[in-house]
Amino acid sequence: MPPGHVGARSSLLLRRAIDGPRCSCRPVVTQPLLRASHTLVTCDRRSQAERLSQPVGYNHRATLNVGISQPWITPLRCYMSLRRLGIMCGILGPLLWLSLIGMAGAMRPEFSHITHYISELGERGSSTEFLMRYGAFAFTGLLYVCFAAALLATFRDGWYSTLAAGLIGLDGLGRIGAGVFACDPGCGGLSSNQELHHLFATLGFSSGILAAIAWGFTFHRRGWPPPLTWYSVGTGILALIFLLIMSWSRNSLNAPGLFEHLATGVLSLWLLVFAASLTRHPDQALRRS
């Protein structure tokens, strides 16, 4: 055997004696792999892209160590983003609803906000039918449903908060149904669409009133500021009074549209204040959940 080969073999044996025996076995996975949802995978990729876009000198190792020690950070960030999006729907919904009512009323000079119902802006054959049916009723109803979903995901500590959030969702579904089934011209017909429109509109108004009162009691049980509690309960009672005056057949004022506008106005303003308060104090809501 050549001398060089003997020296190489001796060096190999010496290295093996120092390093210890090597195992060529593959590592055994002791726990089954978990399949991540599409939302978490998308958020994880977004988080990786944010790390790659950091400037030179950014401490990626420190960020990686935090992510390993707290693996729930990325899903929590995604959860918070969806929650904030739902709360923004609660702000945009009432603003869009009131804005489209004013816009549609301005587009029809013969329409009176005092003597005509809001549904007459979306009556069949009118120039504002598409805008009111699919913009004001259907789309804002969808925004209300998204806001209710965000409330369900935020307040999860009792049946009362679940019921209150569900009432806002029913308000949104009532709006969607009122937009799908438009009323007859003058909202005085006897067709099936007219009956279904009246049914869904009643569902939306009733759910909105009950939601304001229910959230008032929910705020009280959660220890929120008393002015917000009384404002919520007062809004529900005031909207109910306006609707009762609107439906009163012996009312000599002949202003059903005015009281309907007042009812939907106070309810929309309450929802706007509620959603805005969650935007200003999101941590308080999460700590109490």
Side-chain angles (χ1 to χ4, degrees):
M1 184 177 295
H5 184 73
V6 174
R9 183 177 178 83
S10 301
S11 300
L12 180 60
L13 293 176
L14 181 60
R15 189 179 300 110
R16 287 182 178 179
I18 296 174
D19 298 340
R22 295 183 178 181
C23 179
S24 60
C25 302
R26 295 182 179 179
V28 179
V29 179
T30 58
Q31 297 180 353
L33 297 177
L34 299 178
R35 296 181 61 185
S37 63
H38 176 72
T39 304
L40 295 183
V41 171
T42 304
C43 294
D44 184 64
R45 291 176 179 175
R46 186 185 305 169
S47 179
Q48 293 179 2
E50 291 178 356
R51 289 200 299 267
L52 293 176
S53 62
Q54 294 295 336
V56 179
Y58 182 77
N59 192 353
H60 295 278
R61 180 171 296 180
T63 305
L64 181 61
N65 292 336
V66 172
I68 293 176
S69 60
Q70 301 178 358
W72 58 85
I73 286 182
T74 299
L76 181 60
R77 289 180 58 189
C78 301
Y79 167 77
M80 290 293 293
S81 299
L82 293 176
R83 175 184 167 277
R84 289 195 180 102
L85 180 61
I87 293 176
M88 291 303 299
C89 290
I91 297 177
L92 180 61
L95 289 177
L96 184 63
W97 167 252
L98 296 177
S99 300
L100 290 179
I101 290 176
M103 183 184 302
M107 294 172 60
R108 293 178 55 181
E110 75 280 3
F111 180 84
S112 174
H113 293 281
I114 297 178
T115 59
H116 293 150
Y117 293 104
I118 298 175
S119 298
E120 295 185 55
L121 291 172
E123 63 186 10
R124 293 186 178 275
S126 64
S127 58
T128 56
E129 176 185 0
F130 183 84
L131 177 64
M132 288 299 297
R133 287 183 62 185
Y134 302 104
F137 283 103
F139 184 64
T140 59
L142 180 61
L143 294 178
Y144 275 53
V145 172
C146 293
F147 179 57
L151 294 176
L152 287 173
T154 303
F155 302 93
R156 297 177 295 178
D157 58 346
W159 63 269
Y160 47 88
S161 57
T162 302
L163 175 62
L167 289 172
I168 294 181
L170 285 179
D171 186 2
L173 292 178
R175 291 169 179 267
I176 295 175
V180 172
F181 301 99
C183 69
D184 298 334
C187 291
L190 298 176
S191 65
S192 59
N193 284 331
Q194 174 67 33
E195 294 297 328
L196 289 174
H197 177 84
H198 183 266
L199 176 63
F200 280 107
T202 304
L203 174 64
F205 265 120
S206 302
S207 301
I209 292 173
L210 293 176
I213 298 175
W215 275 109
F217 288 102
T218 302
F219 296 152
H220 177 70
R221 296 191 62 172
R222 298 174 68 88
W224 284 42
L228 185 59
T229 299
W230 292 111
Y231 172 62
S232 300
V233 176
T235 295
I237 296 176
L238 187 61
L240 178 60
I241 293 174
F242 286 147
L243 289 181
L244 290 177
I245 296 176
M246 180 196 73
S247 305
W248 188 22
S249 59
R250 298 182 180 180
N251 184 11
S252 59
L253 295 177
N254 191 22
L258 173 62
F259 292 104
E260 186 185 21
H261 282 71
L262 290 175
T264 192
V266 295
L267 289 175
S268 300
L269 181 60
W270 168 79
L271 193 74
L272 178 62
V273 172
F274 179 25
S277 64
L278 292 178
T279 304
R280 294 182 59 185
H281 307 286
D283 295 336
Q284 179 184 7
L286 284 178
R287 285 197 303 267
R288 295 179 180 270
S289 301

